[in-house]
């Protein structure tokens, strides 16, 4: 019991006691990103792409073993996947400028479907290696595009939260759900049927994302998504107030009363005329 009391005493030191009159249950924070439906469409698509990523990460090597692939082949497959990400991460910024975020996300869906369909018809394990170059598009290029889009459409103070949500949906929740569903598909229908199911699924998700991104209205000023600013008129700001600088000239008290200030003649008088020596 003494140990429990000691732990309790240490824990009390770190408790932040609420001041009198303040609620013990904090007010839930406002989440302006939930008002951006275009961003919600991206988050849902990235979640589904995470399911596809888990399908390959967890079950591709198992499939290679089922078609009599060696451990060396498995290692080459994994090595090709990771090496393919390097150039796509490096040139991701240029690809975003050329093709745009929506096309790159849609291309990741198409490449995933192509890889799944290829796995379903391949009978020799070494033929899988060339298709793993597509991992640069489905993971590296997709992630660079999604993260860039999130930073573009999210207010600065919410960017860290939104990026954390993006990573959680793709690498955590998407992987968790896919590990359960894919295992059930493979157990009851087999690998080839599971590849076809995932290919059809991600093609449909890509089509839905492109449609939603095209039809949903674009937001010109994403700062307006803040909870306190929605529905309020924007303050008018004049350009001259930001760029021009007014310099006040000192005025005398005489000028303030409306009288003209006396002026002093600073010009020198003309020199006296020199008398002529030869006068008539």
């Amino acid at each position: 019991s003494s140990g429990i009391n000691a732990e309790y005493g240490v824990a009390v030191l770190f408790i932040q006691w609420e001041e009198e009159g303040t609620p013990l249950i904090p007010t839930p924070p406002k989440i302006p990103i939930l008002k951006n439906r275009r961003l919600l469409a991206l988050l849902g698509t990235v979640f589904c792409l995470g399911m596809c990523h888990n399908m390959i990460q967890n079950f591709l090597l198992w499939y290679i073993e089922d078609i009599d692939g060696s451990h060396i082949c498995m290692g080459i497959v994994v090595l090709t996947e990771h090496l393919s990400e390097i150039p796509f991460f490096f040139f991701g910024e240029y690809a975003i400028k050329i093709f745009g975020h929506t096309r790159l996300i849609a291309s990741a869906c198409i490449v995933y479907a192509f890889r799944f369909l290829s796995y379903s018809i391949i009978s020799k394990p070494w033929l899988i290696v060339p298709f793993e170059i597509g991992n640069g598009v489905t993971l590296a290029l997709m992630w660079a595009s999604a993260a860039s889009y999130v930073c573009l459409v999210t207010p600065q103070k919410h960017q860290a939260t939104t990026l954390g949500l993006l990573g959680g949906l793709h690498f955590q929740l998407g992987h968790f759900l896919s590990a359960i569903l894919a295992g059930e598909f493979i157990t009851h229908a087999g690998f080839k049927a599971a590849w076809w199911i995932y290919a059809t699924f991600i093609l449909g998700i890509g089509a839905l994302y492109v449609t939603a991104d095209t039809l949903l209205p674009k937001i010109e000023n994403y700062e307006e998504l803040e909870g306190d600013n929605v529905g309020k008129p924007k303050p008018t700001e004049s350009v001259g107030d930001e760029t021009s600088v007014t310099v006040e000239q000192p005025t005398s008290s005489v000028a303030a009363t409306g009288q003209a200030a006396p002026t002093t003649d600073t010009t020198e008088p003309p020199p006296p005329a020199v008398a002529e020596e030869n006068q008539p």
Side-chain angles (χ1 to χ4, degrees):
S1 60
S2 60
I4 296 176
N5 292 333
E7 293 176 359
Y8 177 78
V10 173
V12 169
L13 296 177
F14 295 94
I15 294 178
Q16 297 181 355
W17 299 99
E18 298 288 343
E19 298 180 358
E20 184 178 359
T22 58
L24 294 178
I25 301 177
T27 304
K30 298 177 181 178
I31 308 178
I33 59 175
L34 298 180
K35 301 176 183 178
N36 188 347
R37 289 177 291 178
R38 296 168 66 88
L39 180 58
L40 291 178
L42 174 68
L43 293 176
T45 305
V46 171
F47 165 72
C48 297
L49 290 169
M51 295 178 61
C52 296
H53 183 253
N54 175 265
M55 177 64 174
I56 294 177
Q57 292 293 312
N58 284 2
F59 299 101
L60 180 60
L61 298 183
W62 186 9
Y63 177 66
I64 293 176
E65 185 179 5
D66 278 5
I67 59 177
D68 299 328
S70 63
H71 290 173
I72 296 178
C73 179
M74 296 180 189
I76 297 298
V77 165
V78 176
L79 179 63
T80 306
E81 289 179 356
H82 293 293
L83 290 180
S84 66
E85 298 172 7
I86 298 176
F88 285 97
F89 271 127
F90 185 80
F91 294 103
E93 180 180 0
Y94 304 99
I96 292 172
K97 292 180 180 179
I98 296 174
F99 301 103
H101 302 87
T102 304
R103 293 179 180 177
L104 293 182
I105 298 295
S107 66
C109 298
I110 295 174
V111 174
Y112 262 131
F114 179 73
R115 292 173 69 184
F116 292 148
L117 294 176
S118 301
Y119 299 155
S120 66
I121 61 177
I122 286 177
S123 58
K124 296 182 179 181
W126 283 100
L127 295 179
I128 295 178
V129 175
F131 294 97
E132 297 314 289
I133 300 177
N135 189 65
V137 177
T138 56
L139 181 62
L141 199 58
M142 179 279 300
W143 188 255
S145 178
S148 173
Y149 184 82
V150 164
C151 294
L152 182 66
V153 305
T154 307
Q156 185 175 4
K157 66 179 181 179
H158 297 292
Q159 287 181 1
T161 302
T162 312
L163 288 173
L165 179 62
L166 184 73
L169 288 173
H170 186 276
F171 294 104
Q172 305 299 328
L173 188 58
H175 282 207
F176 168 75
L177 183 60
S178 178
I180 298 175
L181 294 179
E184 292 294 325
F185 292 153
I186 295 171
T187 301
H188 295 90
F191 266 111
K192 293 185 180 297
W195 295 129
W196 274 90
I197 291 172
Y198 267 73
T200 307
F201 167 73
I202 197 60
L203 276 179
I205 293 297
L208 288 176
Y209 172 68
V210 173
T211 304
D213 189 80
T214 304
L215 298 180
L216 289 176
K218 295 183 178 181
I219 301 175
E220 300 295 337
N221 184 10
Y222 290 96
E223 297 295 337
E224 294 180 355
L225 295 176
E226 298 293 336
D228 295 336
N229 296 335
V230 176
K232 294 184 179 181
K234 296 174 59 177
T236 57
E237 297 179 358
S238 60
V239 179
D241 295 341
E242 299 178 357
T243 58
S244 62
V245 178
T246 304
V247 180
E248 296 183 357
Q249 299 293 339
T251 57
S252 60
S253 58
V254 178
T257 56
Q259 298 178 0
T263 57
T264 56
D265 190 3
T266 57
T267 58
E268 298 181 358
V274 180
E276 297 180 358
E277 296 181 358
N278 300 324
Q279 293 181 354

